[in-house]
Amino acid sequence: MAQSPESNTDSADGAYAKSWDTLGALIAQGKSFSGRERNCVFLNLGGKEVSFACASGAVHLDHADDSRAVIPVDWDGDGDLDLWYSNRSAPRVRFMRNDMVSGNAWLALQLEGRTSNRDAIGARAELTLTAADGTKRTLWRRVKAGDGFLSQAPKTLHFGFRAEEKVERLVIRWPAPGVDEDIVPVPDAGRLYKLTQAAAAHPVELKLLALAAGAATLPAEKPEVRAVLANRLPVPKLEYLDLQGHVKSLEGAQPQPLLVLFWGSWCPVCTAEMHEMVKRATELSGVRILALAVDTAKPEPEKSAISDVRAGLSGRGWKFDAGFASQATVRALAMLEARALYPERPLALPSAYLIGTDGKLAFIYHGRAGVEQLVKDAALAAQTPADPEAAAFPFSGRSAKKLFPLTVAGQAQTLRDAGYFVDARALLEQSLPNSGAGGWRLIADLEESAGRWDAALAAWKKALAFAPDDSATLLAVSAAMWKSGEHKEATAHMQRAALLNKDAADFQNQVGKVWQALGEHAKARDAFTTSLAAAPENAEVVFNRAVACQFTGATAEAIAGYESVLKLNPQLLDAASNLAWLLATAKDVSLRQPDKALALAQQLAKATAGQNPAVLDNLAAAQASTGDLKAAAQTAQQALALARATGEASLLPEIARHLEAYKAQRPWVE
Amino acid sequence: MRCVSRLHKPIPVRPLLFAAGAVLLAGCGKKPEPGAAPVPSPPPAVQARPSAVPLEDIGMVHKEVPARLEDHAWDTEHLNDAAGQQLKALGKWLVLQTAQSDQTELPAVFSPALQSTPLRPESTTVLTQPPLTVQRMAGASAQPQSVDAAAFAGQLRPLLTAVPQPVEITTNFKIFRVTADPPETTARVELVARSASRSMQQIAHWRCRWEKRADGDPLLASVIVESFEETVTDTARTFTDCTGTLLGGDKAFSEHLAHSLDHWVARMEQQYVFGPSGWEGFAMGDANGDGRQDLYVCQPGGLPNRLLVQNADGTLSDRAGESGVDFWDQTQAALFCDWDNDGDQDLALAMIWGVLFLANDGSGKFQPAASKLSPEGMSYSLAAADFDADGDLDLYVCCYGKRSSGVEHRFLARPLPYHDANNGSRNMLLRNDRSWRWRDVTKSVGLHENNQRFSFAVAWEDYDSDGDLDLYVANDFGRNNLYRCDRTADSLTFKDVAAEAGVEDISAGMSASWGDADNDGRPDLYVSNMWSSAGNRVAYQRRFREGSGGLAAFQRHARGNSLFQNTGDGTFRDVSEPSGVTMGRWAWGSRFADLNNDGWDDLVVANGYITQPDAADL
């Protein structure tokens, strides 16, 4: 886990935010997080010094339930507080009856306000007790509505005390200011009273409930999953191999609901499921079934797998479509599943995906789905339910506010993030112009990533029409304009963005980044400088400015910048890396600090476990600057090998040039 | 039987954070690549999961992500792991040895030079109240004496003296302090034993010195028992689970609530079910006016909230549908209150988008009467009070996280900085203006001060006994608020006095409860936090954040629950540690409640974050 930044901005590499993501991913993958913890009870030992004993296990209140909230209440009317727990785990509510009390006395009150609020919330009851030896004490309780965590205990006030203590006085301080009431005659112990403001107290008949002991029977958790999607997801083009090894593809609307079934020839549950499908094929006439063997989807498919699958299918009398899943087939459906469902688990076999006639994923199954269920679901998948949520949710209910349908932009984002640019674009185009600014922004982004600058600019402008006051969109438009040579308009848009954005420091940082992306480093530097004038301690901006200085040849300033970044956040590897490079290779000899460069580069290499080619290239330069050209050449060789292995081809020519210099007994100079 | 076989193959990892918000990175070394800076991108992608997962191992670097300049390995964590294993072996031996009559072989964890104080030190009885007896170590730790392994082991069995024939034993060693030089650990040693007629809980702190070995686990060289406490009940019946009796006959339970949240998370769209955290609470009140308490159980989105109505025999039946309250909206909390003073219990529900008020027709049928969108975040705990003493109830709403827009429920905010986050969302005080009109008066009464946090819980109380109700708000990732109400004949304002009152409690606040721990008539305060053994170990080392000034804050973050004793002069004394109430683990709801009717408030703590089948804990 990355450390939290000390200020209210994340480190420039977003490490802190990433660590949250990592944590979330681990939980989605099924890890526990402070799990199996047992609930606690602390017993008040009484007396002058506040002291409690931990008694959880001794009193059987130590369930490992991932409990959330707790409510004390005398449920069975025997004069002591029982406990309700709400839990994350099963059962989601648990009731624990108090059988522990013996010999002590009690008194309970229900208050009702008149001039005070009717519930008497805020009223304080003070109960004065006298012990046999004449010592007195006053206990108090306040009527509350909501405390603890996400919970409300009943408004009944419960007092416990020693049997030898006599109730001497009961005062109610009603929430209406200055209204205190002495309750006369004082109530007896062992009863529940209803007290209405300025009226006589009267006891409430309490029914003693004889509750049988009995924990809940919990249903066995089955591994089979059937998920019904209210937000059906457009399925991108699905490619697979047919049994002859020809590439086939599926796309868009289907004449019948389509069940894509992933199975493995070695998987007995798959066999059972498919056997049942064959046996009851007539019932399944309303659905097209495509069984895709995943045997060949392994990174290195075994040759025997294909013949195994063919033999397996004919042996089973398989009457439906069949073929082989490629990694891309699995990935496409897994990507949709990842959007729909929270858990991130390895693919279970069998898994099946039921796609509606509209070409959208409607049901997901892991483990056996069962023919009966499939027949029912296929009928649903052939139509679009009038109320998709009611059709998808497991129990009846109602919505107070419209729930959160997945927007087209959201769906497109899912496709785009998984690399399905064409599908994302097609989906957005279909729904335009209804997808609003978000949709156009996505399109613009798609176009930019494809290098189609004019199309991107057009899309940004459309986005801007939907959100004319969004400074981020204005900035994006101005960047795209600049790229297209419309410098004047770009400047105008940027000025408008500045007017709309109140946080000058943040805005100028954004502007600087735009210039940097456009290769206008002097302008970038000015913007970062302005940002820092407003908020000098921002490590990210200091870093950005140092980068701009480096680009514009202001090496001394760049060095100073990186040094101050590292003071603000010593964990910014990129600052350290750039600094090491400059200290080793600065053209101006007076700026070079070979020893410091070497120390930094070594730390970096250690921090990245020697697995980063750019860092090793840095280290080589530092070694060379100290005169150790032999070591430099060795390190550069390692960097080259590593860059090849990790596929960072863009680094190769550069490192190779550096290596040549070291071999020629020359350190590298920028 | 293997029902579902698993295939290990690459599956695309869900994109978690879109490049936006990420910052210009020039790549490691060299001249930065032109074009490396992202053009201001489309708005950040919605988070695929809740981000509000509090980190436990604050300050620690994940072993697989070596991403810091300084040497990332905490040697002490290795010692912790190894020493923890050794202690665990000892605990396992004790359990086995008790369960089986034949001698199990003693684990080889002892140094030949072993020294120890008595494991069961001289104790005095500090509470006798049938069926409970509590004993505690008397005086300071003894001087350790040389013992051999057999003699040491011989002291373990007698720890169970109070429960002669246990049918259930659990041991748990949690190391919460560790130093590398000298190699020393302090562990919380917990022992629970139960038999047909008795139960016992024992808590001790063992300071252990370890003998390092080049080629193996460290050996136990010395044990000093620093504290010892034993709670025994001489009856088998203390608290009895009757959940099945009360709920087993209802389908809402057997088909829905009897399943863990994980069951539903695996089967329902994350668009609705708000992740696996289980931040759904419940409320008790008399929904139908029959004099019996009913229970409203909040549920994640897509699953209906349940109204469990109490029958004459104490059992419960779900009546949410016919009562008009079976909402699918993700709901965190509920309150039964008579908002319109007509003598029945209405409802307020803290939903993902804000608060829904429902009017009761007197028979337990509810109709939506008003709603209030929360300003930025999801609404969490609710607490009502008549703060302006005009005879009707007003409502304070905690908000947590941040919505991206409208009613979308994804979080975008990450708490920053972790130990004092002030980038959360605004809470609100809704004033009841009668006829179901609610007015957000947060700002006009001064509650906007310090109001940008991750608020989980709230509780009203008149802590300064001046006749008006003050407000305590527990915030995750940082300091809490104590808003003192200053009411005069013609003005009313709140002022955050948490710092001067000594109740900032900078930590991961999750719950707030007022009671009277010392029976002096003045309200004391109990706040849930996280007790993190990992956080304790790391945060208490000198190396941790040396010179950065955050040390104390991080130590506090791992300390656990807090008990603040009201001194009567407007300030509180932090008695958490001396009173022995910090170790509530990863605590959520906690409350004062007099469980044994002795007139002294005890404390009940609900805890544990996420338990999944994979036992490896993060």
Side-chain angles (χ1 to χ4, degrees), chain A residues 1 6 20 34 52 57 62 94 99 119 142 155 212 230 342 398 404 416 516 551 577 607, chain B residues 14 18 24 29 32 53 60 66 136 194 201 240-241 245 269 326 336 338 345 407 461 545 617:
Chain A
M1 241 13 91
E6 298 251 342
W20 284 96
S34 271
F52 289 79
D62 59 344
R94 190 188 284 278
D99 296 338
D119 282 336
R142 192 181 298 279
K155 298 176 190 89
Y342 181 87
R398 71 192 74 198
F404 317 102
R416 190 200 63 169
Q516 208 150 37
F551 268 119
S577 176
Chain B
R14 213 177 301 180
F18 191 60
L24 167 73
V53 184
M60 286 179 64
R136 271 192 187 158
R194 291 169 185 151
Q201 163 126 16
T240 306
D241 193 336
T245 309
E269 275 169 276
D326 54 346
F336 283 108
D338 188 358
Q345 291 295 293
V407 294
E461 182 53 78
R545 294 197 156 244
D617 212 276

Short mmCIF file of all heavy atoms in Angstrom, two decimals, chain A residues 1 6 20 34 52 57 62 94 99 119 142 155 212 230 342 398 404 416 516 551 577 607, chain B residues 14 18 24 29 32 53 60 66 136 194 201 240-241 245 269 326 336 338 345 407 461 545 617:
data_model
loop_
_atom_site.label_atom_id
_atom_site.label_comp_id
_atom_site.label_asym_id
_atom_site.label_seq_id
_atom_site.Cartn_x
_atom_site.Cartn_y
_atom_site.Cartn_z
N MET A 1 0.83 -1.19 0.00
CA MET A 1 0.00 0.00 0.00
C MET A 1 0.87 1.25 0.00
O MET A 1 1.86 1.31 0.72
CB MET A 1 -0.78 -0.01 1.31
CG MET A 1 -2.26 -0.05 1.21
SD MET A 1 -2.97 -0.42 -0.34
CE MET A 1 -3.09 -2.19 -0.22
N GLU A 6 0.74 13.66 2.66
CA GLU A 6 0.51 14.43 3.88
C GLU A 6 -0.42 15.60 3.64
O GLU A 6 -0.99 16.15 4.56
CB GLU A 6 1.85 14.98 4.40
CG GLU A 6 2.81 13.87 4.75
CD GLU A 6 3.01 13.74 6.23
OE1 GLU A 6 2.70 14.70 6.95
OE2 GLU A 6 3.48 12.69 6.67
N TRP A 20 -5.76 2.47 -3.36
CA TRP A 20 -7.17 2.21 -3.06
C TRP A 20 -7.75 1.25 -4.09
O TRP A 20 -8.50 0.33 -3.75
CB TRP A 20 -7.98 3.51 -3.09
CG TRP A 20 -7.78 4.35 -1.88
CD1 TRP A 20 -6.92 5.38 -1.75
CD2 TRP A 20 -8.44 4.22 -0.62
NE1 TRP A 20 -7.01 5.91 -0.50
CE2 TRP A 20 -7.93 5.23 0.22
CE3 TRP A 20 -9.42 3.34 -0.13
CZ2 TRP A 20 -8.37 5.38 1.53
CZ3 TRP A 20 -9.85 3.51 1.17
CH2 TRP A 20 -9.33 4.52 1.99
N SER A 34 -9.67 -7.51 7.39
CA SER A 34 -10.09 -7.51 8.80
C SER A 34 -11.33 -8.40 8.96
O SER A 34 -12.31 -7.99 9.56
CB SER A 34 -10.35 -6.10 9.32
OG SER A 34 -9.17 -5.56 9.84
N PHE A 52 -13.20 -1.24 32.56
CA PHE A 52 -14.05 -2.24 31.92
C PHE A 52 -13.27 -3.55 31.74
O PHE A 52 -12.06 -3.52 31.55
CB PHE A 52 -14.49 -1.77 30.54
CG PHE A 52 -15.49 -0.63 30.55
CD1 PHE A 52 -15.08 0.68 30.76
CD2 PHE A 52 -16.84 -0.88 30.33
CE1 PHE A 52 -16.00 1.72 30.77
CE2 PHE A 52 -17.76 0.17 30.33
CZ PHE A 52 -17.34 1.46 30.55
N GLY A 57 -16.21 -13.36 24.98
CA GLY A 57 -16.28 -14.81 24.86
C GLY A 57 -17.03 -15.43 26.03
O GLY A 57 -17.76 -16.40 25.87
N ASP A 62 -19.58 -13.05 20.98
CA ASP A 62 -18.35 -12.92 20.21
C ASP A 62 -18.51 -13.56 18.84
O ASP A 62 -17.64 -14.28 18.37
CB ASP A 62 -17.16 -13.53 20.96
CG ASP A 62 -17.36 -15.01 21.27
OD1 ASP A 62 -18.52 -15.49 21.19
OD2 ASP A 62 -16.36 -15.68 21.58
N ARG A 94 -29.16 -10.80 13.68
CA ARG A 94 -29.04 -11.87 14.67
C ARG A 94 -29.61 -11.35 15.99
O ARG A 94 -29.37 -10.21 16.37
CB ARG A 94 -27.57 -12.27 14.85
CG ARG A 94 -27.39 -13.54 15.68
CD ARG A 94 -25.92 -13.79 16.00
NE ARG A 94 -25.12 -14.31 14.90
CZ ARG A 94 -25.06 -15.60 14.54
NH1 ARG A 94 -25.79 -16.50 15.18
NH2 ARG A 94 -24.27 -15.97 13.55
N ASP A 99 -29.75 -13.95 29.05
CA ASP A 99 -30.11 -14.90 30.13
C ASP A 99 -29.17 -14.73 31.30
O ASP A 99 -29.09 -15.59 32.18
CB ASP A 99 -29.97 -16.34 29.60
CG ASP A 99 -30.93 -16.64 28.48
OD1 ASP A 99 -31.95 -15.95 28.38
OD2 ASP A 99 -30.64 -17.56 27.69
N ASP A 119 -42.67 12.32 20.54
CA ASP A 119 -41.79 11.19 20.86
C ASP A 119 -40.92 11.45 22.09
O ASP A 119 -40.21 10.56 22.54
CB ASP A 119 -40.86 10.90 19.67
CG ASP A 119 -41.56 10.15 18.56
OD1 ASP A 119 -42.56 9.48 18.84
OD2 ASP A 119 -41.11 10.25 17.41
N ARG A 142 -31.45 9.24 28.40
CA ARG A 142 -32.08 10.23 27.53
C ARG A 142 -32.78 9.52 26.38
O ARG A 142 -32.27 8.54 25.86
CB ARG A 142 -31.05 11.22 26.99
CG ARG A 142 -31.71 12.44 26.34
CD ARG A 142 -30.71 13.43 25.77
NE ARG A 142 -29.82 14.03 26.74
CZ ARG A 142 -30.12 15.07 27.52
NH1 ARG A 142 -31.34 15.60 27.46
NH2 ARG A 142 -29.24 15.56 28.34
N LYS A 155 -37.17 3.77 21.82
CA LYS A 155 -37.20 4.97 22.65
C LYS A 155 -37.45 4.65 24.11
O LYS A 155 -37.39 5.53 24.97
CB LYS A 155 -38.28 5.92 22.12
CG LYS A 155 -37.98 6.36 20.69
CD LYS A 155 -39.07 7.22 20.10
CE LYS A 155 -38.86 7.43 18.62
NZ LYS A 155 -39.47 6.37 17.79
N ALA A 212 -38.03 -19.92 22.58
CA ALA A 212 -37.16 -21.10 22.55
C ALA A 212 -35.80 -20.69 22.01
O ALA A 212 -35.71 -19.84 21.13
CB ALA A 212 -37.78 -22.16 21.67
N ALA A 230 -30.55 -6.04 -15.41
CA ALA A 230 -31.56 -5.05 -15.77
C ALA A 230 -31.00 -4.14 -16.86
O ALA A 230 -31.72 -3.68 -17.72
CB ALA A 230 -31.95 -4.23 -14.54
N TYR A 342 -19.72 -7.31 -9.45
CA TYR A 342 -18.60 -6.83 -8.64
C TYR A 342 -17.43 -7.83 -8.54
O TYR A 342 -16.29 -7.45 -8.71
CB TYR A 342 -19.10 -6.48 -7.25
CG TYR A 342 -18.04 -5.96 -6.34
CD1 TYR A 342 -17.73 -4.60 -6.31
CD2 TYR A 342 -17.33 -6.81 -5.50
CE1 TYR A 342 -16.73 -4.12 -5.49
CE2 TYR A 342 -16.33 -6.33 -4.68
CZ TYR A 342 -16.04 -4.99 -4.67
OH TYR A 342 -15.05 -4.52 -3.87
N ARG A 398 -40.15 -1.65 -4.60
CA ARG A 398 -40.47 -0.43 -5.34
C ARG A 398 -39.29 0.53 -5.25
O ARG A 398 -38.42 0.38 -4.38
CB ARG A 398 -41.74 0.21 -4.78
CG ARG A 398 -41.54 0.85 -3.40
CD ARG A 398 -42.87 1.21 -2.77
NE ARG A 398 -43.56 0.00 -2.31
CZ ARG A 398 -44.86 -0.07 -2.04
NH1 ARG A 398 -45.62 1.00 -2.17
NH2 ARG A 398 -45.40 -1.19 -1.64
N PHE A 404 -30.49 3.70 -10.98
CA PHE A 404 -29.40 4.23 -11.80
C PHE A 404 -29.17 3.41 -13.04
O PHE A 404 -28.30 2.57 -13.07
CB PHE A 404 -28.13 4.27 -10.97
CG PHE A 404 -28.37 4.78 -9.60
CD1 PHE A 404 -28.43 3.91 -8.54
CD2 PHE A 404 -28.57 6.12 -9.39
CE1 PHE A 404 -28.68 4.39 -7.27
CE2 PHE A 404 -28.82 6.60 -8.13
CZ PHE A 404 -28.88 5.73 -7.06
N ARG A 416 -14.84 0.75 -24.49
CA ARG A 416 -13.59 1.41 -24.85
C ARG A 416 -12.47 0.99 -23.92
O ARG A 416 -11.36 0.70 -24.34
CB ARG A 416 -13.76 2.92 -24.78
CG ARG A 416 -12.56 3.62 -25.38
CD ARG A 416 -12.44 5.02 -24.93
NE ARG A 416 -12.23 5.11 -23.50
CZ ARG A 416 -11.88 6.23 -22.91
NH1 ARG A 416 -11.72 7.31 -23.62
NH2 ARG A 416 -11.70 6.27 -21.62
N GLN A 516 1.99 21.47 -22.48
CA GLN A 516 3.03 20.45 -22.50
C GLN A 516 2.69 19.37 -23.53
O GLN A 516 3.54 18.93 -24.29
CB GLN A 516 3.15 19.83 -21.11
CG GLN A 516 4.54 19.32 -20.82
CD GLN A 516 4.85 19.39 -19.34
OE1 GLN A 516 3.98 19.17 -18.50
NE2 GLN A 516 6.07 19.73 -19.00
N PHE A 551 12.73 20.74 -20.56
CA PHE A 551 12.49 20.81 -22.00
C PHE A 551 13.03 22.09 -22.61
O PHE A 551 13.49 22.10 -23.75
CB PHE A 551 10.98 20.77 -22.28
CG PHE A 551 10.46 19.38 -22.51
CD1 PHE A 551 9.50 18.84 -21.69
CD2 PHE A 551 10.93 18.63 -23.58
CE1 PHE A 551 9.01 17.57 -21.91
CE2 PHE A 551 10.45 17.36 -23.81
CZ PHE A 551 9.49 16.82 -22.97
N SER A 577 14.17 10.30 -10.73
CA SER A 577 14.76 9.77 -11.95
C SER A 577 15.26 10.88 -12.87
O SER A 577 16.40 10.86 -13.34
CB SER A 577 13.70 8.91 -12.65
OG SER A 577 14.19 8.45 -13.86
N ALA A 607 14.55 0.49 -5.56
CA ALA A 607 13.11 0.66 -5.34
C ALA A 607 12.30 -0.03 -6.44
O ALA A 607 11.18 -0.46 -6.21
CB ALA A 607 12.76 2.14 -5.28
N ARG B 14 -10.38 -5.29 -14.55
CA ARG B 14 -11.30 -4.19 -14.77
C ARG B 14 -10.55 -2.86 -14.71
O ARG B 14 -9.78 -2.64 -13.80
CB ARG B 14 -12.33 -4.21 -13.64
CG ARG B 14 -13.66 -3.76 -14.09
CD ARG B 14 -14.59 -3.88 -12.95
NE ARG B 14 -14.68 -5.25 -12.47
CZ ARG B 14 -15.46 -5.57 -11.45
NH1 ARG B 14 -16.14 -4.67 -10.84
NH2 ARG B 14 -15.53 -6.82 -11.06
N PHE B 18 -9.61 5.83 -14.64
CA PHE B 18 -9.33 6.40 -15.93
C PHE B 18 -8.16 7.36 -15.80
O PHE B 18 -7.89 7.87 -14.73
CB PHE B 18 -10.60 7.11 -16.40
CG PHE B 18 -10.55 7.52 -17.81
CD1 PHE B 18 -10.39 6.56 -18.80
CD2 PHE B 18 -10.67 8.84 -18.17
CE1 PHE B 18 -10.37 6.93 -20.12
CE2 PHE B 18 -10.65 9.21 -19.48
CZ PHE B 18 -10.49 8.26 -20.47
N LEU B 24 0.47 14.41 -15.17
CA LEU B 24 1.54 14.31 -16.14
C LEU B 24 2.69 13.51 -15.59
O LEU B 24 3.23 13.80 -14.55
CB LEU B 24 2.04 15.71 -16.48
CG LEU B 24 3.35 15.67 -17.26
CD1 LEU B 24 3.09 15.21 -18.66
CD2 LEU B 24 4.03 17.00 -17.22
N GLY B 29 13.14 8.95 -15.94
CA GLY B 29 14.41 9.34 -16.51
C GLY B 29 14.26 10.06 -17.84
O GLY B 29 13.18 10.15 -18.40
N PRO B 32 11.50 14.16 -20.85
CA PRO B 32 10.13 13.66 -20.92
C PRO B 32 9.69 13.56 -22.37
O PRO B 32 10.06 14.39 -23.18
CB PRO B 32 9.32 14.71 -20.18
CG PRO B 32 10.28 15.68 -19.61
CD PRO B 32 11.62 15.44 -20.20
N VAL B 53 -12.95 2.14 1.11
CA VAL B 53 -12.51 0.98 1.87
C VAL B 53 -11.36 1.44 2.73
O VAL B 53 -10.28 1.70 2.23
CB VAL B 53 -12.02 -0.11 0.92
CG1 VAL B 53 -11.65 -1.35 1.68
CG2 VAL B 53 -13.10 -0.42 -0.10
N MET B 60 2.28 1.25 5.54
CA MET B 60 3.09 0.12 5.14
C MET B 60 3.16 0.07 3.63
O MET B 60 2.24 0.41 2.93
CB MET B 60 2.46 -1.16 5.64
CG MET B 60 2.65 -1.34 7.11
SD MET B 60 1.88 -2.84 7.63
CE MET B 60 2.86 -4.02 6.75
N PRO B 66 7.32 -2.51 -4.67
CA PRO B 66 8.44 -1.74 -4.14
C PRO B 66 8.49 -0.41 -4.88
O PRO B 66 8.93 -0.34 -6.00
CB PRO B 66 9.66 -2.60 -4.46
CG PRO B 66 9.23 -3.48 -5.58
CD PRO B 66 7.74 -3.54 -5.60
N ARG B 136 -8.19 -9.78 37.93
CA ARG B 136 -7.12 -9.07 37.24
C ARG B 136 -5.80 -9.22 37.96
O ARG B 136 -5.77 -9.37 39.17
CB ARG B 136 -7.44 -7.58 37.18
CG ARG B 136 -8.22 -7.23 35.97
CD ARG B 136 -8.27 -5.74 35.80
NE ARG B 136 -9.17 -5.42 34.72
CZ ARG B 136 -9.77 -4.26 34.58
NH1 ARG B 136 -9.56 -3.31 35.47
NH2 ARG B 136 -10.56 -4.05 33.56
N ARG B 194 -15.03 -22.66 26.71
CA ARG B 194 -16.42 -22.85 27.12
C ARG B 194 -16.68 -24.32 27.39
O ARG B 194 -16.14 -25.18 26.69
CB ARG B 194 -17.38 -22.39 26.03
CG ARG B 194 -17.39 -20.90 25.81
CD ARG B 194 -18.14 -20.56 24.55
NE ARG B 194 -18.05 -19.13 24.29
CZ ARG B 194 -18.08 -18.58 23.08
NH1 ARG B 194 -18.21 -19.35 22.02
NH2 ARG B 194 -17.99 -17.29 22.93
N GLN B 201 -13.27 -15.88 29.37
CA GLN B 201 -12.46 -15.11 28.42
C GLN B 201 -11.26 -14.57 29.17
O GLN B 201 -11.39 -13.98 30.25
CB GLN B 201 -13.27 -13.95 27.85
CG GLN B 201 -12.42 -12.89 27.19
CD GLN B 201 -12.83 -12.59 25.78
OE1 GLN B 201 -13.92 -12.94 25.35
NE2 GLN B 201 -11.96 -11.95 25.03
N THR B 240 -28.26 -16.09 24.52
CA THR B 240 -28.69 -17.25 23.75
C THR B 240 -29.22 -16.80 22.40
O THR B 240 -30.05 -15.89 22.33
CB THR B 240 -29.79 -18.02 24.51
OG1 THR B 240 -29.28 -18.31 25.81
CG2 THR B 240 -30.16 -19.31 23.80
N ASP B 241 -28.77 -17.46 21.37
CA ASP B 241 -29.19 -17.12 20.01
C ASP B 241 -30.61 -17.64 19.76
O ASP B 241 -30.85 -18.84 19.82
CB ASP B 241 -28.21 -17.75 19.01
CG ASP B 241 -28.38 -17.19 17.60
OD1 ASP B 241 -29.49 -16.70 17.30
OD2 ASP B 241 -27.41 -17.25 16.84
N THR B 245 -35.71 -18.85 16.05
CA THR B 245 -37.03 -18.85 16.67
C THR B 245 -37.84 -17.65 16.21
O THR B 245 -39.03 -17.76 15.91
CB THR B 245 -36.87 -18.80 18.21
OG1 THR B 245 -35.96 -19.83 18.59
CG2 THR B 245 -38.19 -18.96 18.91
N GLU B 269 -26.38 -6.85 -10.22
CA GLU B 269 -25.56 -5.83 -10.86
C GLU B 269 -24.97 -4.86 -9.85
O GLU B 269 -25.68 -4.35 -8.97
CB GLU B 269 -26.42 -5.03 -11.85
CG GLU B 269 -26.53 -5.66 -13.20
CD GLU B 269 -27.59 -4.96 -14.02
OE1 GLU B 269 -28.77 -5.30 -13.88
OE2 GLU B 269 -27.22 -4.07 -14.80
N ASP B 326 -41.07 -1.26 0.93
CA ASP B 326 -40.13 -2.28 0.40
C ASP B 326 -39.26 -1.67 -0.69
O ASP B 326 -39.23 -2.14 -1.83
CB ASP B 326 -40.89 -3.51 -0.11
CG ASP B 326 -41.97 -3.14 -1.13
OD1 ASP B 326 -42.30 -1.94 -1.24
OD2 ASP B 326 -42.49 -4.05 -1.81
N PHE B 336 -37.42 5.73 12.99
CA PHE B 336 -38.84 5.85 13.32
C PHE B 336 -39.03 7.08 14.19
O PHE B 336 -38.48 7.14 15.29
CB PHE B 336 -39.32 4.63 14.11
CG PHE B 336 -39.54 3.40 13.27
CD1 PHE B 336 -38.66 2.32 13.35
CD2 PHE B 336 -40.65 3.30 12.44
CE1 PHE B 336 -38.89 1.17 12.61
CE2 PHE B 336 -40.87 2.15 11.69
CZ PHE B 336 -39.99 1.07 11.77
N ASP B 338 -42.04 10.44 15.08
CA ASP B 338 -43.34 11.05 14.80
C ASP B 338 -43.10 12.46 14.28
O ASP B 338 -43.19 13.43 15.02
CB ASP B 338 -44.17 11.06 16.09
CG ASP B 338 -45.60 11.49 15.83
OD1 ASP B 338 -45.92 11.81 14.67
OD2 ASP B 338 -46.40 11.49 16.79
N GLN B 345 -45.73 6.48 14.37
CA GLN B 345 -44.31 6.49 14.02
C GLN B 345 -44.14 6.59 12.51
O GLN B 345 -44.46 5.64 11.78
CB GLN B 345 -43.63 5.22 14.56
CG GLN B 345 -43.55 5.19 16.08
CD GLN B 345 -42.66 6.29 16.61
OE1 GLN B 345 -41.45 6.27 16.39
NE2 GLN B 345 -43.25 7.26 17.31
N VAL B 407 -27.93 11.79 -9.17
CA VAL B 407 -28.20 10.71 -8.24
C VAL B 407 -27.27 9.54 -8.49
O VAL B 407 -27.52 8.44 -8.07
CB VAL B 407 -29.67 10.25 -8.33
CG1 VAL B 407 -30.59 11.35 -7.87
CG2 VAL B 407 -30.02 9.82 -9.73
N GLU B 461 -26.56 15.03 22.33
CA GLU B 461 -26.56 14.95 23.80
C GLU B 461 -26.26 16.34 24.34
O GLU B 461 -25.59 17.13 23.68
CB GLU B 461 -25.50 13.94 24.28
CG GLU B 461 -25.43 13.72 25.78
CD GLU B 461 -26.76 13.37 26.41
OE1 GLU B 461 -27.20 12.21 26.31
OE2 GLU B 461 -27.38 14.28 27.00
N ARG B 545 7.78 7.27 9.61
CA ARG B 545 7.49 8.68 9.37
C ARG B 545 8.33 9.58 10.25
O ARG B 545 7.84 10.56 10.80
CB ARG B 545 6.01 8.97 9.58
CG ARG B 545 5.20 8.25 8.56
CD ARG B 545 3.82 8.81 8.46
NE ARG B 545 3.32 8.49 7.15
CZ ARG B 545 3.02 9.39 6.23
NH1 ARG B 545 3.13 10.65 6.48
NH2 ARG B 545 2.59 9.02 5.06
N ASP B 617 -5.84 -12.52 5.02
CA ASP B 617 -6.40 -11.20 5.28
C ASP B 617 -5.46 -10.13 4.78
O ASP B 617 -4.26 -10.28 4.85
CB ASP B 617 -6.62 -11.04 6.79
CG ASP B 617 -7.80 -10.16 7.07
OD1 ASP B 617 -7.62 -8.94 7.05
OD2 ASP B 617 -8.90 -10.70 7.29
#
